[in-house]
């Protein structure tokens, strides 16, 4: 993350407090039709198909329902336009997009991730600038302050985010009680004891789907944020102030391996994908789930909703501040620079992003929204879980982006593979650190 973006992050997180969002009922356009004269219907009246690649494949989730509701309404209002959905899980979509990008056949709308992850697509000229989309009806002002910076290069916005989140530890209060655990852990050593207690009672301690390797990385980054004593480790590596051989990184690897050795994760974690891993928790088969707040709506819609609360990732060896988080500017919607239906595609995306916050709020899925949504969650009937997470957002001190949103793709891939390997093979932490350093030196930013 560039220094300028660190400043933007501070502004973004300050305004994130107003994500305690509410009903958006007063928004212009009411959520049913595009603006008159917007160009959504092609001038000839010809039938137009827009391919909409997304990462909302699970029909039980609020995000999937939101997407389908908006697509159906747009198609109803624009009879000559068909939105063709290509719904994939996160890793499937990333792999498919790489293949499509190589042949310059990016779908009309696709999903990209912020900062370092999307930059190669921008550099290759594969994405269309969206300045005209965000300028229309002042759409850009409806996002949290500074958030669009993570999706902007050389003065152009190239993608519109679906959220802005922090990573927390969701936990099942009933399973904690069943295991005789009376308090949530405040230190890493306490977390290890909780893991061992749950394991001894035949309860899977922490749900994860590590087939999608970013999940383990996200958890690991929480530990590194603590052992480093605060944010900025990766930026210090980029700036030449530290190397991956730094004691803070080695200490983080050591701590991560302690979780693995304690039996924290499901058997065969590396063969379980993200959706299946989350469902282990959402069906009451695991006691904890360390994930971004984007999962709140899906948890609230699950069978364990009434049993779930959340706590901050604990300190590690006395280091770190629990009000520092791994932050996750959301995956974002981008338009292919080679779209054959640019006008119609931009109109649909403008509609989708304008109406998204209202529908998400109605579906009780507005925790982690990237939009400014003002109001009272509790009065709107949100869960105790959602209301509690809003309280955490009020006290955010700072944080780091995920590894693969900070380092270039080659270094990120080496990292993801290295951390994934820790789930199956115990490795000397110094060796893991050197693997990272070698990858960084071979692939400078």
């Amino acid at each position: 993350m560039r220094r300028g973006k660190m400043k933007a992050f501070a502004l973004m997180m300050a305004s994130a407090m107003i994500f305690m969002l509410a009903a958006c009922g007063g928004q212009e356009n009411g959520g049913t039709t595009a603006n008159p004269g917007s160009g959504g219907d092609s001038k000839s009246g010809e039938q137009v198909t827009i391919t909409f690649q997304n990462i909302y494949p699970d029909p039980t989730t609020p995000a999937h329902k939101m997407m389908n509701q908006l697509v159906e309404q747009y198609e109803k209002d624009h009879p000559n336009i068909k939105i063709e959905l290509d719904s994939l899980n996160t890793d499937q979509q990333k792999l498919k997009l790489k293949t499509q990008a190589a042949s310059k056949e990016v779908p009309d709308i696709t999903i990209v991730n912020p900062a370092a992850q999307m930059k190669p697509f921008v550099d290759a000229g594969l994405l269309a600038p969206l300045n005209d989309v965000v300028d229309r009806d002042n759409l850009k002002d409806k996002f949290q302050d500074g958030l669009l910076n993570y999706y902007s290069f050389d003065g152009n916005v190239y993608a519109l985010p679906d959220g802005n989140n922090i990573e927390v530890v969701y936990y099942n209060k009933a399973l904690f009680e069943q295991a005789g655990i009376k308090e949530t852990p405040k230190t890493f050593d306490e977390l290890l004891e909780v893991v061992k207690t749950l394991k001894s009672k035949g309860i899977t301690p922490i749900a994860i789907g590590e087939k999608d390797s970013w999940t383990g990385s996200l958890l690991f980054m929480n530990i590194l944020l603590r052992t480093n004593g605060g944010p900025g480790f990766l930026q210090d590596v980029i700036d030449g102030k530290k190397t991956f051989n730094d004691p803070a990184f080695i200490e983080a690897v050591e701590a991560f391996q302690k979780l693995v050795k304690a039996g924290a994760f499901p058997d065969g974690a590396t063969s379980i994908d993200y959706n299946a891993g989350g469902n282990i928790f959402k069906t009451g088969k695991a006691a904890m789930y360390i994930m971004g707040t984007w999962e709140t709506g899906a948890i609230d819609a699950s069978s364990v909703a009434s049993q779930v609360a959340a706590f901050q990732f604990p300190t590690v060896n006395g280091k770190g501040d629990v009000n520092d988080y791994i932050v996750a500017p959301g995956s974002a919607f981008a338009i292919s620079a080679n779209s054959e239906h640019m006008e119609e595609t931009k109109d649909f995306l403008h509609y989708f992003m304008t109406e998204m916050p209202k529908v998400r709020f109605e579906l009780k899925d507005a925790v982690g929204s990237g939009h400014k949504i003002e109001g009272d969650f509790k009065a709107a009937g949100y869960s105790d879980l959602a209301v509690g997470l809003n309280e955490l957002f009020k006290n955010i001190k700072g944080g780091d982006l995920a590894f693969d949103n900070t380092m270039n793709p080659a270094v990120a891939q080496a990292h993801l593979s290295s951390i994934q390997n820790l789930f199956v093979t115990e490795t000397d932490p110094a060796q893991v650190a050197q693997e990272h350093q070698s990858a960084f030196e071979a692939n400078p930013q």
Side-chain angles (χ1 to χ4, degrees):
M1 181 162 58
R2 300 287 183 262
R3 290 296 181 191
K5 290 188 175 180
M6 285 295 290
K7 293 179 181 178
F9 162 74
L11 290 172
M12 176 186 71
M13 280 302 158
S15 67
M17 310 327 88
I18 58 176
F19 102 135
M20 38 207 104
L21 318 167
C24 296
Q27 285 187 345
E28 295 178 3
N29 261 2
T32 57
T33 60
N35 286 345
S38 65
D41 294 304
S42 57
K43 294 179 176 63
S44 66
E46 66 177 327
Q47 291 297 312
V48 169
T49 298
I50 296 170
T51 303
F52 183 16
Q53 193 172 85
N54 65 86
I55 52 171
Y56 306 144
D58 186 345
T60 67
T61 62
H64 180 94
K65 294 173 183 175
M66 174 273 297
M67 173 182 68
N68 279 272
Q69 181 175 328
L70 292 178
V71 166
E72 289 170 8
Q73 185 64 55
Y74 191 84
E75 289 179 333
K76 180 180 178 181
D77 295 334
H78 303 79
N80 67 312
I81 295 179
K82 168 68 177 175
I83 310 297
E84 185 177 272
L85 298 176
D86 181 20
S87 302
L88 307 161
N89 71 35
T90 303
D91 269 22
Q92 288 172 339
Q93 187 272 331
K94 285 183 178 180
L95 289 172
K96 186 170 185 178
L97 180 58
K98 285 181 181 178
T99 301
Q100 292 169 324
S103 59
K104 299 188 183 301
E105 295 179 348
V106 174
D108 295 299
I109 298 176
T110 189
I111 295 290
V112 294
N113 287 287
Q117 285 200 64
M118 66 180 288
K119 189 174 186 297
F121 299 108
V122 174
D123 291 345
L126 295 171
L127 306 181
L130 302 179
N131 299 38
D132 53 340
V133 176
V134 297
D135 287 342
R136 181 177 146 201
D137 301 331
N138 294 316
L139 177 60
K140 63 184 176 184
D141 294 334
K142 297 176 183 178
F143 290 94
Q144 292 173 17
D145 295 342
L147 182 57
L148 292 180
N149 291 346
Y150 291 105
Y151 312 88
S152 300
F153 299 87
D154 299 323
N156 291 315
V157 179
Y158 286 94
L160 305 182
D162 64 356
N164 184 32
N165 295 270
I166 57 175
E167 191 170 13
V168 298
V169 186
Y170 295 101
Y171 74 104
N172 187 313
K173 294 178 287 185
L175 292 181
F176 266 48
E177 183 178 349
Q178 181 181 324
I181 301 167
K182 300 186 183 303
E183 295 183 356
T184 56
K186 303 298 187 294
T187 69
F188 191 78
D189 285 343
E190 290 176 0
L191 177 62
L192 285 174
E193 288 305 311
V194 165
V195 164
K196 293 172 183 176
T197 298
L198 290 164
K199 189 75 173 175
S200 72
K201 301 294 184 180
I203 300 169
T204 299
I206 302 174
I208 198 167
E210 181 55 12
K211 183 177 181 181
D212 296 353
S213 53
W214 63 269
T215 57
S217 168
L218 206 58
L219 194 163
F220 171 81
M221 287 297 293
N222 282 278
I223 301 175
L224 179 59
L225 179 61
R226 299 291 185 255
T227 59
N228 190 54
F233 180 87
L234 295 184
Q235 189 62 51
D236 283 345
V237 172
I238 292 170
D239 293 342
K241 297 177 181 178
K242 291 183 178 179
T243 72
F244 282 104
N245 296 314
D246 188 271
F249 192 86
I250 293 173
E251 185 179 2
V253 176
E254 290 172 344
F256 187 87
Q257 291 200 119
K258 287 179 180 179
L259 278 178
V260 176
K261 289 174 70 174
F265 306 110
D267 293 338
T270 57
S271 64
I272 301 169
D273 69 17
Y274 167 70
N275 288 327
N279 284 334
I280 294 173
F281 180 78
K282 286 176 271 190
T283 55
K285 297 175 183 174
M288 291 178 283
Y289 186 34
I290 303 175
M291 190 49 64
T293 47
W294 62 78
E295 279 286 353
T296 304
I299 290 171
D300 279 339
S302 75
S303 61
V304 298
S306 63
Q307 302 166 8
V308 177
F311 61 90
Q312 297 150 299
F313 197 86
T315 59
V316 179
N317 300 330
K319 300 175 184 177
D321 186 323
V322 295
N323 289 313
D324 285 332
Y325 295 87
I326 297 302
V327 297
S331 54
F333 301 97
I335 292 178
S336 169
N338 298 318
S339 173
E340 295 180 1
H341 307 291
M342 185 66 71
E343 183 180 2
E344 293 87 354
T345 302
K346 284 186 173 182
D347 185 76
F348 169 70
L349 184 58
H350 180 276
Y351 166 85
F352 190 85
M353 298 308 297
T354 299
E355 304 304 329
M356 175 192 285
K358 176 183 177 182
V359 176
R360 287 187 65 183
F361 186 86
E362 292 169 348
L363 292 171
K364 302 293 188 289
D365 190 39
V367 172
S369 172
H371 290 81
K372 299 174 181 176
I373 312 175
E374 300 173 356
D376 188 333
F377 270 29
K378 190 173 183 64
Y382 271 72
S383 68
D384 290 342
L385 172 63
V387 172
L389 289 171
N390 277 340
E391 292 304 308
L392 294 185
F393 269 82
K394 290 179 182 179
N395 298 308
I396 292 173
K397 179 180 177 182
D400 281 328
L401 293 178
F403 193 106
D404 52 0
N405 287 336
T406 306
M407 291 290 179
N408 67 44
V411 179
Q413 187 53 56
H415 161 76
L416 294 172
S417 297
S418 183
I419 297 301
Q420 187 181 58
N421 186 58
L422 298 181
F423 282 83
V424 293
T425 304
E426 185 174 358
T427 307
D428 179 3
Q431 179 183 329
V432 176
Q434 186 55 48
E435 288 172 359
H436 282 72
Q437 185 61 26
S438 296
F440 178 74
E441 292 172 358
N443 301 277
Q445 291 291 100

